[in-house]
């Protein structure tokens, strides 16, 4: 019945819509939503496009000439909606926002007492139907990230231009096949998008209508009054949740963190799970604040200057699956049976289940297929890094071996990656020494020419090093030599524990960071810093007592050295707004200007320490 209603409201096939300079003939309905209907159309020159029509089906009707009509009581709502529809669609066109993963808009116009915009026609399948056609099976993590990376990049570009999409979901991401059989995800349907001025205020009317349950954040149902990139962040997190679970997310007002965790596969990495949880927090103040931060939490690089990363090679929408037909059986029965067997075999072969990317990667690891492993590694499949590095080093291609080992530094295989880097550098040195001396060098020669980041230092006479661990530590810290620091820490030199923990944390390996930070605390070396890092990794339960928070803040300000950890807890984990200004100053001392600005802005928005925050913001702008 729902489909019949959609077709009843839609323009009939063959109907011609005139823009003034072009005519568009309706071929079929592509979809409909709360704000309008999308059609496949053909322009007078034969070029195919998609056309979006503003049509509030609960408020509008059509007459026999297909002109929109509505009650006088709805006039203001409809006419304001039409103006906003034209404004937002026209803005994308006028601002020349061009990106391979954003649908292009070519023409915006009024006709039939409503509004239309013409966009590129994307032949393909949306993510909802892709999952359904594949037996409602969730995507692997590698597949899901390969799809979401370009969409994250596209959304970040919109936000850079003060535009929010406000309707990101599986149905609004189309996979279209490229010439090399890769798939390009394209973000479509800007019917709800909003533009904001420099002060963050909407330049068109805001409405709560059109929210998609499961993908729209809770604040969107009340109507957004300011620039809210967090709304799109929520939708991106919900879309990724859907891809990894093949389950439509629960409505924002009802979903819990536990339900999100239970929907995800059990073997999803902790960092990915945490990134989704942070992106889908109910309170936008607690939610991941930007697409760039969401990408960082997922371990995804979206800082591309070109179209790189705009496609995925890990999904396949298939080709022609027309079944074979048997029309004549004039031969004896035995030939007919044989023919059926052959045809059955052909059909099975053509339609046999294709291995998943995860299965292909496992097979490549087992067979040590370097060509396949390198393809996966170049697509940022973390499981491929170490075996790819090992095989290149075995082939004496040390530079590529080091390249893929360095990629693995931020994964759970970071210790093995460090070993491979050291091995490759030592082999490079041995190779150079052999070329220099005409034969394999002895150990003394190697040690004499080994750089600091490969082996131990020696004096000019080739004697054993006289440096103490403390001197080696100072040298490693001065040159930020992480390999040397790790070597000292493994030897039991306690001063290296916290720097190693911090390096692991910065690279995203929280498990190793936690282990080394605990060692630092136990050794009573850099204990305060190590404990602060542990609190970051495993935040303690926040205090709910406002008076207690105020007292803790005052205590922290009296002793800045010891109070640094308390400021982190109050501002980052407990979201205590009076601490934001002081924490921002702490961040500035650490050189984290952008993060400091975010806390200053939030404090100003909340009306706390306003004059101090504004003065500091003005100083930063200067």
């Amino acid at each position: 019945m729902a489909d019949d209603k959609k077709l009843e409201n839609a323009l009939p096939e063959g109907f011609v819509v005139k823009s003034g300079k072009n005519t568009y003939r309706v071929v079929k309905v592509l979809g409909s939503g709360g704000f309008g209907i999308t059609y496949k159309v053909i322009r007078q020159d034969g070029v195919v496009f998609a056309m979006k029509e503003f049509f509030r089906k609960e408020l509008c009707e059509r007459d026999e000439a297909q002109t929109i009509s509505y009650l006088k009581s709805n006039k203001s709502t409809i006419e304001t909606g039409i103006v906003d529809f034209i404004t937002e669609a026209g803005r994308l066109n006028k601002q020349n926002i061009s990106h391979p993963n954003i649908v292009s808009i070519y023409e915006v116009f009024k006709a039939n007492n409503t509004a239309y915009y013409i966009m590129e026609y994307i032949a393909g399948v949306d993510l909802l139907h892709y999952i359904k056609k594949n037996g409602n099976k969730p995507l692997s993590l590698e597949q899901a990230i390969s799809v979401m990376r370009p969409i994250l990049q596209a959304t970040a570009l919109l936000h850079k231009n003060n535009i929010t999409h406000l309707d990101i979901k599986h149905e609004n991401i189309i996979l279209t096949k490229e010439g090399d059989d890769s798939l390009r995800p394209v973000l479509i349907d800007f019917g709800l998008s909003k533009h904001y001025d420099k002060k963050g205020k909407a330049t068109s009317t805001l409405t709560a209508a059109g929210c998609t349950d499961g993908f729209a954040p809770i604040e969107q149902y009340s109507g957004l009054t300011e620039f809210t990139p967090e709304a799109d962040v929520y939708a991106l997190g919900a879309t990724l949740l859907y891809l990894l679970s093949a389950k439509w997310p629960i409505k924002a007002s009802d979903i819990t963190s536990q339900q999100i965790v239970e929907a995800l596969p059990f073997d999803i990495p902790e960092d990915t799970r945490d990134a989704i949880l942070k992106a889908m927090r109910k309170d936008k103040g607690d939610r991941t604040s930007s697409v760039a931060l969401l990408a960082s939490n997922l371990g995804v690089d979206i800082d591309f200057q070109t179209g790189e990363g705009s496609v995925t090679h890990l999904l396949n929408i298939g080709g022609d699956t027309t079944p074979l037909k048997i029309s004549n059986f004039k031969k004896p029965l035995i030939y007919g049976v044989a023919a059926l067997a052959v045809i059955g075999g052909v059909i099975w072969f053509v339609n046999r289940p294709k291995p998943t990317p995860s299965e292909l990667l496992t097979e490549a690891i087992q067979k040590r297929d370097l060509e396949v492993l390198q393809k996966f590694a170049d697509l940022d499949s973390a499981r491929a890094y170490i075996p790819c590095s090992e095989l290149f080093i075995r082939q004496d291609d040390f530079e590529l071996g080091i390249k893929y080992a360095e990629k693995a530094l931020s994964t759970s295989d970071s210790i093995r990656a460090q070993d491979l880097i050291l091995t490759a550098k030592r082999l490079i040195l041995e190779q150079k020494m052999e070329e220099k001396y005409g034969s394999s060098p002895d150990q003394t020669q190697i040690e004499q020419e080994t750089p600091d980041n490969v082996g131990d230092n020696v004096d000019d006479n080739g004697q054993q090093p006289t440096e103490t661990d403390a001197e080696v530590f100072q040298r490693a810290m001065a040159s930020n030599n992480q390999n040397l620091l790790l070597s000292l820490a493994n030897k039991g030199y306690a001063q290296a524990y916290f720097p190693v923990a911090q390096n692991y944390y910065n690279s995203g390996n929280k498990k190793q960071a936690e282990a080394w930070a605990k060692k630092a605390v136990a050794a009573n070396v850099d204990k305060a810093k190590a404990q602060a890092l542990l609190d970051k990794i495993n935040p303690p339960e926040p205090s709910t007592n406002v008076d207690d928070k105020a007292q803790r803040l005052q205590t922290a300000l009296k002793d800045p050295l010891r109070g640094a950890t308390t400021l982190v807890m109050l501002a980052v984990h407990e979201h205590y707004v009076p601490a934001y200004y002081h924490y921002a100053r702490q961040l500035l001392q650490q050189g984290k200007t952008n993060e400091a600005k975010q806390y200053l802005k939030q404090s100003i928005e909340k009306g706390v320490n306003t004059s101090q925050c504004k003065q500091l913001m003005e100083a930063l702008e200067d």
Side-chain angles (χ1 to χ4, degrees):
M1 290 296 293
D3 289 340
D4 292 341
K5 181 68 175 174
K6 287 179 184 177
L7 291 173
E8 179 185 335
N9 289 328
L11 294 171
E13 292 181 12
F15 186 81
V16 174
V17 179
K18 298 179 180 179
S19 71
K21 60 180 179 179
N22 292 303
T23 59
Y24 300 93
R25 180 171 56 83
V26 173
V27 177
K28 65 175 182 178
V29 175
L30 295 174
S32 67
F35 270 79
I37 304 172
T38 305
Y39 306 88
K40 179 180 179 181
V41 296
I42 298 179
R43 197 168 61 187
Q44 72 273 8
D45 57 2
V47 180
V48 177
F49 293 95
M51 180 177 73
K52 179 88 173 184
E53 177 188 47
F54 180 83
F55 186 89
R56 294 285 296 271
K57 60 185 178 182
E58 77 280 13
L59 303 177
C60 298
E61 294 180 350
R62 294 186 197 275
D63 59 23
E64 292 182 359
Q66 304 304 326
T67 299
I68 302 295
S69 61
Y70 39 83
L71 297 174
K72 285 186 177 180
S73 57
N74 296 326
K75 181 179 180 180
S76 176
T77 301
I78 296 299
E79 291 185 353
T80 300
I82 288 173
V83 170
D84 291 346
F85 182 88
I86 292 172
T87 300
E88 297 304 332
R91 193 180 305 280
L92 279 173
N93 192 19
K94 289 176 183 176
Q95 288 189 219
N96 195 27
I97 296 175
S98 178
H99 191 279
N101 305 104
I102 296 176
V103 67
S104 298
I105 294 178
Y106 299 107
E107 189 177 4
V108 184
F109 60 92
K110 290 182 71 174
N112 304 321
N113 205 27
T114 187
Y116 300 86
Y117 65 79
I118 304 299
M119 53 190 164
E120 66 175 312
Y121 174 69
I122 310 293
V125 60
D126 64 56
L127 288 176
L128 172 64
H129 289 92
Y130 180 89
I131 295 289
K132 285 184 176 180
K133 287 182 177 180
N134 284 274
N136 284 316
K137 291 194 303 183
L139 302 185
S140 69
L141 179 59
E142 290 92 344
Q143 290 173 317
I145 292 297
S146 74
V147 171
M148 291 303 296
R149 180 205 306 269
I151 299 302
L152 289 167
Q153 187 189 2
T155 309
L157 177 63
L158 293 174
H159 291 179
K160 185 178 179 181
N161 286 275
N162 286 347
I163 294 173
T164 49
H165 186 279
L166 300 182
D167 201 17
I168 298 172
K169 57 185 177 181
H170 48 11
E171 292 176 287
N172 283 340
I173 299 172
I174 303 289
L175 298 173
T176 185
K177 187 177 285 190
E178 299 291 277
D180 60 354
D181 284 339
S182 63
L183 297 180
R184 176 167 55 101
V186 181
L187 185 60
I188 65 167
D189 198 344
F190 283 76
L192 296 182
S193 68
K194 290 295 169 191
H195 176 264
Y196 304 82
D197 60 25
K198 291 181 179 180
K199 294 182 179 180
K201 301 302 179 184
T203 56
S204 59
T205 308
L206 292 152
T207 177
C211 295
T212 301
D213 290 349
F215 296 89
I218 196 166
E219 68 270 15
Q220 194 169 333
Y221 288 85
S222 304
L224 301 173
T225 58
E226 57 187 10
F227 182 49
T228 311
E230 296 91 343
D232 282 344
V233 167
Y234 185 97
L236 289 165
T239 303
L240 180 56
L241 174 63
Y242 171 78
L243 296 179
L244 293 171
S245 65
K247 297 175 183 175
W248 195 297
I250 298 169
K251 189 176 180 179
S253 57
D254 302 328
I255 197 167
T256 65
S257 297
Q258 186 63 33
Q259 288 171 324
I260 294 173
V261 171
E262 290 174 354
L264 290 167
F266 73 93
D267 58 347
I268 284 292
E270 181 182 352
D271 288 351
T272 304
R273 184 175 65 245
D274 289 348
I276 294 173
L277 286 169
K278 290 175 182 176
M280 294 184 66
R281 283 178 176 162
K282 278 188 171 63
D283 188 339
K284 76 170 184 178
D286 295 338
R287 195 179 306 147
T288 302
S289 59
S290 68
V291 177
L293 186 54
L294 171 58
S296 176
N297 291 342
L298 290 169
V300 174
D301 181 9
I302 60 170
D303 187 23
F304 297 116
Q305 300 301 316
T306 65
E308 182 185 359
S310 64
V311 299
T312 172
H313 295 268
L314 300 184
L315 278 71
N316 192 331
I317 57 176
D320 185 13
T321 55
T322 306
L324 297 172
K325 295 182 180 180
I326 303 170
S327 56
N328 264 319
F329 290 97
K330 297 182 179 178
K331 299 290 182 183
L333 180 60
I334 186 167
Y335 294 112
V337 172
L340 283 172
V342 171
I343 291 170
V346 170
I347 293 174
W348 174 86
F349 181 79
V350 170
N351 296 289
R352 70 194 187 284
K354 294 183 178 179
T356 65
S358 181
E359 291 169 341
L360 289 173
L361 177 54
T362 299
E363 183 181 8
I365 293 171
Q366 292 170 347
K367 291 183 176 180
R368 295 182 172 273
D369 187 333
L370 182 54
E371 184 180 354
V372 174
L373 283 170
Q374 188 177 12
K375 286 180 179 178
F376 274 100
D378 288 339
L379 291 167
D380 290 338
S381 178
R383 277 205 299 145
Y385 294 154
I386 291 296
C388 196
S389 173
E390 289 174 341
L391 289 174
F392 273 120
I393 291 173
R394 288 183 183 216
Q395 293 184 5
D396 293 343
D397 194 336
F398 303 124
E399 289 187 5
L400 282 175
I402 291 171
K403 170 187 171 182
Y404 291 109
E406 286 177 341
K407 283 192 169 191
L409 285 174
S410 62
T411 72
S412 58
D413 288 326
S414 58
I415 292 178
R416 175 60 180 149
Q418 292 275 14
D419 290 341
L420 286 171
I421 291 170
L422 287 171
T423 299
K425 288 183 176 180
R426 185 171 290 278
L427 289 171
I428 289 171
L429 178 65
E430 289 180 4
Q431 196 176 67
K432 289 180 178 178
M433 294 292 289
E434 188 169 351
E435 292 172 0
K436 180 175 180 179
Y437 291 98
S439 61
S440 296
D442 59 32
Q443 187 62 32
T444 303
Q445 290 169 332
I446 292 176
E447 289 174 351
Q448 286 175 337
E449 303 219 8
T450 300
D452 293 347
N453 63 343
V454 176
D456 297 327
N457 226 5
V458 295
D459 61 26
D460 293 337
N461 297 317
Q463 299 301 312
Q464 291 299 317
T466 57
E467 273 187 313
T468 64
D469 284 344
E471 290 170 334
V472 174
F473 175 71
Q474 291 299 325
R475 182 160 52 83
M477 290 294 290
S479 61
N480 193 27
N481 190 325
Q482 297 181 23
N483 295 335
L484 202 52
L485 285 171
L486 182 61
S487 175
L488 284 167
N490 283 325
K491 281 176 61 179
Y493 186 69
Q495 295 286 348
Y497 291 165
F498 175 71
V500 168
Q502 188 66 60
N503 286 334
Y504 273 121
Y505 182 81
N506 291 342
S507 67
N509 191 334
K510 292 183 180 179
K511 193 172 290 185
Q512 288 293 331
E514 183 178 10
W516 286 107
K518 285 180 177 178
K519 284 191 174 187
V521 171
N524 202 25
V525 177
D526 292 322
K527 187 174 181 178
K529 293 179 182 178
Q531 188 58 57
L533 185 60
L534 288 171
D535 290 341
K536 268 187 175 182
I537 297 168
N538 298 305
E541 288 296 319
S543 168
T544 56
N545 189 318
V546 176
D547 292 336
D548 175 59
K549 291 179 182 178
Q551 181 60 46
R552 286 162 56 209
L553 176 60
Q554 290 305 314
T555 303
L557 295 177
K558 289 177 183 177
D559 188 350
L561 188 62
R562 294 185 180 181
T565 304
T566 304
L567 274 180
V568 172
M569 285 302 306
L570 288 169
V572 178
H573 301 297
E574 299 180 30
H575 309 293
Y576 184 53
V577 180
Y580 284 4
Y581 167 75
H582 306 286
Y583 181 57
R585 293 186 61 181
Q586 183 173 303
L587 288 170
L588 288 172
Q589 292 172 0
Q590 299 168 5
K592 300 178 180 178
T593 306
N594 290 335
E595 194 174 346
K597 285 182 177 179
Q598 291 298 321
Y599 279 96
L600 291 172
K601 286 178 182 177
Q602 290 180 52
S603 189
I604 292 169
E605 289 172 2
K606 301 287 185 181
V608 179
N609 293 326
T610 307
S611 60
Q612 293 170 296
C613 290
K614 285 183 176 178
Q615 287 176 5
L616 191 52
M617 282 288 287
E618 288 171 3
L620 291 174
E621 295 299 334
D622 293 339

